[in-house]
């Protein structure tokens, strides 16, 4: 079964520092991977997705993620954190059979310190 | 504007009182799905629909019903709500291309069952 593990339920960084949110996946087939962001009291918004076209994926708001098959990872990074990046971030893998659902990680809450 | 809408956004009810949460999308998407979000568990799929009159159970379907009589609408029905259904609910939709397609999420419905 496909699954996702996000390491760290809370991450805190200073404004201007590197943001690194970790995601590892488990999949017996080539995965489709997604990062979503949830701002307070809002729905989920797509940041970026990996669909096998390129291993380094650029998304919105300066975020990017690199697919590493050997490490089964899809970590999310941003070179310089901004106060507006404070939110909860979810990594998800898309199940390609049956329900064709998104299987989500537990989420990582990102806090930005001034 | 392409969007998924949900109503109501907030709902407080009592055990056993039937309720319906509506979901509508204006993107002509075939696939629609309901998720619930609980702290530390991420989002889990409740039910999904591949097209009109085609619905199936997700991972946590107990206590819920759905229907898909029109392509744009996918209501979630709780016939006899219980306190363990207190949660944040999201409706999502995507096109028929496959699991690599982006799922678009509604703003969420926060439900409290007393």
């Amino acid at each position: 079964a496909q699954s996702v593990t996000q390491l760290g339920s809370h991450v805190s960084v200073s404004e201007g520092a590197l943001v690194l949110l970790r995601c590892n996946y488990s999949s017996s087939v080539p995965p489709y991977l997604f990062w979503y962001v949830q701002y307070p009291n809002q729905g989920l918004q797509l940041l970026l997705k990996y669909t096998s076209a390129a291993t380094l994926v650029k998304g919105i708001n300066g975020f990017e993620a690199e697919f590493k098959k050997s490490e089964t990872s899809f970590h999310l990074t941003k070179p310089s954190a901004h106060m507006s990046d404070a939110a909860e971030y979810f990594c998800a893998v898309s199940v390609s059979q049956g329900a064709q659902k998104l299987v989500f990680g537990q989420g990582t809450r990102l806090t930005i310190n001034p | 504007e392409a969007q998924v809408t949900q109503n109501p956004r907030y709902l407080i009810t009592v055990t056993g009182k039937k309720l319906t949460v509506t979901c509508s999308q204006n993107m002509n998407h075939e696939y629609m799905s309901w998720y619930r979000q609980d702290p530390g568990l991420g989002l889990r799929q409740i039910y999904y629909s591949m097209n009109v009159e085609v619905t199936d159970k997700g991972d946590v379907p107990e206590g819920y019903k759905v229907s898909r009589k029109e392509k744009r609408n996918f209501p979630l029905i709780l016939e006899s709500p219980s306190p363990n259904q207190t949660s944040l609910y999201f409706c999502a939709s995507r096109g028929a291309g496959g699991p690599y397609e982006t799922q678009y999420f509604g703003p969420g419905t926060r439900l409290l069952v007393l």
Side-chain angles (χ1 to χ4, degrees), chain B:
Chain B
E1 179 190 356
Q3 61 182 352
V4 178
T5 57
Q6 294 178 229
N7 281 293
R9 294 288 313 278
Y10 303 92
L11 181 58
I12 301 174
T13 190
V14 295
T15 298
K17 186 176 181 181
K18 181 179 179 179
L19 66 91
T20 299
V21 183
T22 64
C23 172
S24 183
Q25 50 92 6
N26 63 0
M27 295 169 278
N28 201 35
H29 284 164
E30 286 77 10
Y31 178 95
M32 298 185 74
S33 185
W34 276 101
Y35 294 84
R36 61 178 287 172
Q37 181 183 7
D38 300 292
L41 298 177
L43 282 78
R44 294 174 292 167
Q45 190 186 56
I46 302 171
Y47 267 95
Y48 68 99
S49 170
M50 301 293 279
N51 214 325
V52 176
E53 302 291 1
V54 180
T55 64
D56 208 345
K57 297 177 180 178
D59 294 321
V60 288
E62 294 76 21
Y64 304 95
K65 285 178 59 175
V66 294
S67 67
R68 186 94 181 271
K69 294 183 171 54
E70 303 169 285
K71 195 173 186 179
R72 62 183 294 127
N73 297 323
F74 190 45
L76 179 69
I77 303 158
L78 285 71
E79 295 214 325
S80 183
S82 63
N84 64 13
Q85 292 178 298
T86 293
S87 188
L88 180 57
Y89 292 87
F90 287 102
C91 181
S93 74
R94 67 161 172 79
Y100 54 84
E101 289 216 21
T102 300
Q103 287 203 30
Y104 295 89
F105 286 81
T109 295
R110 189 169 293 278
L111 172 65
L112 172 62
V113 183
L114 300 174

Side-chain angles (χ1 to χ4, degrees), chain A residues 11-21 61-63 77-86 89 110-114:
Chain A
V11 171
S12 181
V13 303
S14 299
E15 190 173 19
L18 171 72
V19 174
L20 170 61
L21 304 182
N61 301 338
F63 284 94
T77 61
K78 182 174 180 177
S80 177
H82 191 272
M83 295 299 291
S84 61
D85 294 327
Y89 292 79
L110 177 64
T111 301
I112 312 296
N113 301 312

Side-chain angles (χ1 to χ4, degrees), chain A residues 29-50:
Chain A
V29 297
Y32 301 114
L33 295 161
F34 300 75
W35 273 101
Y36 281 86
V37 59
Q38 184 180 26
Y39 298 106
N41 299 314
Q42 295 187 27
L44 279 74
Q45 179 182 0
L46 180 71
L47 273 177
L48 49 82
K49 65 180 180 180
Y50 168 75

